Each structure stands twice: as C-alpha cells, then as structure tokens.
Amino acid sequence: MTDVLAVANQKGGVAKTTTVHSLGVASAELGRRVLVVDLDPQACLTFSLGFDPDALDHSLHDVFVRRESVSDVACPVPGVPGLDLLPATIDLAGSEVHLLTRTGREHVLERALQPVLDRYDLVLIDCPPSLGVLTINGLTAANSVLIPLQCEALSHRGVGQLLETIEDVRAFANSDLTVRGIIATMYDERTRHSRHIMEEVEARYGIPVLQPPVRKSIRFAEAPARGKSILQHAPTSPGANAYRQLARTLLEMSAVAGTVG
Ligand SMILES: Nc1ncnc2c1ncn2[C@@H]1O[C@H](COP(=O)(O)OP(=O)(O)OP(=O)(O)O)[C@@H](O)[C@H]1O
Ligand SMILES: [Mg+2]
C-alpha cells in the first residue's frame, strides 16, 4: 500500500517544506518511488525543487478545477531519479475559493491522487501554514500525519488545535487517519531546552517524537535558492544525515504497517 503522509503544522516557518523536500530526496535515494505534492499557494516546495512557479503552465490548481488529471500535471524532478512533483503556483489561492463551492470538497485531492497511487511507494504532502480547506484536503488524502515542530518555547501551542482538526477530519472525512509522529526541527543540541520541549510535547499529547531530531544549521537556508535539497547541497552535513535516517525510520514503519494491513 502506498504510504501517503501529510506534513502539517499551521504554524509558519517550522520546516514543513524543508522536511517534505529532504525526506522526498532521501526516500528516493533509498529506492522508493516518491511523489511530493505542493499544497501551498506560496509554491516554496516547487521553487526549491528548481522550478519557477511563475513559468509553469500546469499546476495542482488545474487538478482542483478539474481541467487536468494528476498524471498530466506531475513532473519528474531533474537530478533526482524516482522523485516526482505535483507543483503549485499562486493560482492555488484561487483553488481555495473554488473548493468552497464544491460538494465533497474535503475529498478532491484524495480522489485526484487515487489513479496514480500504484505508481508510488510514498506520497508526501506539503501543507500550507493554515487549517483551511487546502490543509483539510491534504489530511483527507493521507493515511498519516507528520508534524514538524520547531524546538523553541511556546512552539507546541498550536499542536492542540492541529490535533482537534485531525480529530474532525477523522470524524467526517478520513476515519483511518493516524498521527505518525513529530519531527523535531531546528534543534539546538547545546541547550537542555530543546530536549525538554520535546519531552514535554511527547508527554502532553502522547505523540512520539521520531528520531533523530534535525539540528539547526545555516546549510538549510542556503539550499533552496540553488534548487537543491540539503542532501545535494551539503550531503555529509548532520542535517542531511538526520533526514536520511528519518527516511529510513519511515520506511521501516511502513514495512511494519504493510505486514499488518
Ligand atoms: N534545521 C534547520 N535549521 C535551520 N534552518 C532551517 C532548518 N530547517 C528549515 N530551516 C529554514 O527555515 C525556514 C523555514 O523553513 P520552511 O520553509 O521549510 O518552513 P515551512 O514550515 O514550510 O514554512 P511555511 O509555514 O511558510 O510554509 C527556511 O528558510 C528554511 O531554510
Ligand atoms: Mg512551507
């Protein structure tokens, strides 16, 4: 079964896009067939994969308005065999308005992805920093949610609200949705503070923090402007290795789930 993971947190700038990009590349390196979905009208994932969102003729928006199918719009990412992108453009902001008028609006992405799922082992969905109809589509299309969480004071304050939204999606649209875990991002290992925050979040919400945490590093800020992930830009850096290890953790988790279900 294809593992479909929504990477979500309505808090901005917590490394959702970085996580989708890095895990996408790392999972493709492991030989998995991967589709990354840019569900954010800011189109940062599309840009950081080396595409110019302003120059694209087709995007996820065309899928949402039923002009195109996913297989028409998804494109291979140059330089990363096994990785495809379903790109975004600013048009996606218009999709939100369109979706609100549709019956079954939560299920539009799920339905659109259905015909291509057998081409992929893993689908990673980069949600925008909101709990609006686009994120709800991401959560409805997914089997499981990954929550990137920045290791700083008060960063967990939105987690309760996100879990309530996930609970609603379970009740109304996707009863099998699970939370796979938290990815600790921008981790500062020199302070006890980061570790303490993660322990507190784990205890308070009962969600596992996946290992290892991803340390804070300037390398991450450098990579997107070059159209590369940290794995290509700084292949031996601790950040690249952390995402490689997380990709292996996810592969093991989905192998276990596969034998059960
Ligand atoms: N481990 C890290 N260390 C330092 N900087 C990081 C790390 N991970 C990501 N960043 C940087 O933090 C910024 C925000 O990351 P990113 O765009 O992935 O967050 P996001 O959650 O997708 O943001 P948005 O909510 O706007 O979509 C980027 O400049 C990125 O390069
Ligand atoms: Mg983002």
Side-chain angles (χ1 to χ4, degrees):
M1 201 180 82
T2 308
D3 207 8
V4 184
L5 298 177
V7 177
N9 186 338
Q10 75 277 21
K11 191 170 180 343
V14 297
K16 292 180 287 297
T17 301
T18 304
T19 296
V20 167
H21 189 178
S22 308
L23 286 178
V25 173
S27 302
E29 280 185 359
L30 292 174
R32 300 184 92 184
R33 299 166 303 161
V34 185
L35 174 70
V36 289
V37 179
D38 193 348
L39 198 50
D40 188 345
Q42 296 177 95
C44 292
L45 178 65
T46 301
F47 179 80
S48 63
L49 284 163
F51 295 87
D52 175 2
D54 295 332
L56 289 172
D57 291 330
H58 307 284
S59 77
L60 186 52
H61 175 69
D62 300 292
V63 174
F64 279 133
V65 300
R66 292 187 267 206
R67 266 201 297 260
E68 313 259 12
S69 67
V70 168
S71 56
D72 294 330
V73 177
C75 49
V77 174
V80 190
L83 183 65
D84 286 356
L85 165 70
L86 191 49
T89 62
I90 188 66
D91 291 342
L92 207 51
S95 299
E96 285 206 85
V97 181
H98 171 84
L99 284 169
L100 290 173
T101 67
R102 276 185 71 171
T103 309
R105 63 181 76 104
E106 298 89 349
H107 295 276
V108 179
L109 181 62
E110 178 195 18
R111 290 214 180 154
L113 287 173
Q114 210 72 48
V116 303
L117 285 185
D118 60 359
R119 295 184 206 166
Y120 300 104
D121 303 306
L122 175 67
V123 178
L124 292 166
I125 304 173
D126 184 19
C127 295
S130 82
L131 293 174
V133 68
L134 289 171
T135 294
I136 303 289
N137 261 269
L139 295 173
T140 303
N143 331 118
S144 212
V145 191
L146 282 177
I147 306 175
L149 202 68
Q150 194 177 345
C151 298
E152 62 173 32
L154 306 181
S155 63
H156 65 276
R157 278 181 51 84
V159 174
Q161 202 187 352
L162 175 59
L163 293 178
E164 276 174 27
T165 302
I166 291 170
E167 199 50 56
D168 282 347
V169 169
R170 250 188 227 128
F172 297 111
N174 181 7
S175 58
D176 297 331
L177 183 65
T178 61
V179 178
R180 186 70 52 92
I182 287 168
I183 292 184
T185 64
M186 305 179 205
Y187 193 82
D188 187 348
E189 56 172 3
R190 290 166 304 181
T191 64
R192 288 174 49 79
H193 186 65
S194 277
R195 208 175 332 142
H196 179 74
I197 289 172
M198 286 305 134
E199 283 166 2
E200 194 182 292
V201 169
E202 208 161 28
R204 185 191 296 227
Y205 299 104
I207 305 173
V209 177
L210 304 181
Q211 291 302 316
V214 183
R215 281 192 238 163
K216 190 178 273 188
S217 158
I218 187 67
R219 297 292 196 174
F220 281 97
E222 295 165 356
R226 296 171 167 81
K228 287 182 176 171
S229 74
I230 184 139
L231 282 85
Q232 300 151 298
H233 172 60
T236 58
S237 63
N241 283 329
Y243 276 112
R244 281 198 193 99
Q245 214 169 319
L246 284 164
R248 281 195 292 274
T249 302
L250 291 175
L251 178 60
E252 282 158 19
M253 284 173 137
S254 77
V256 171
T259 54
V260 173

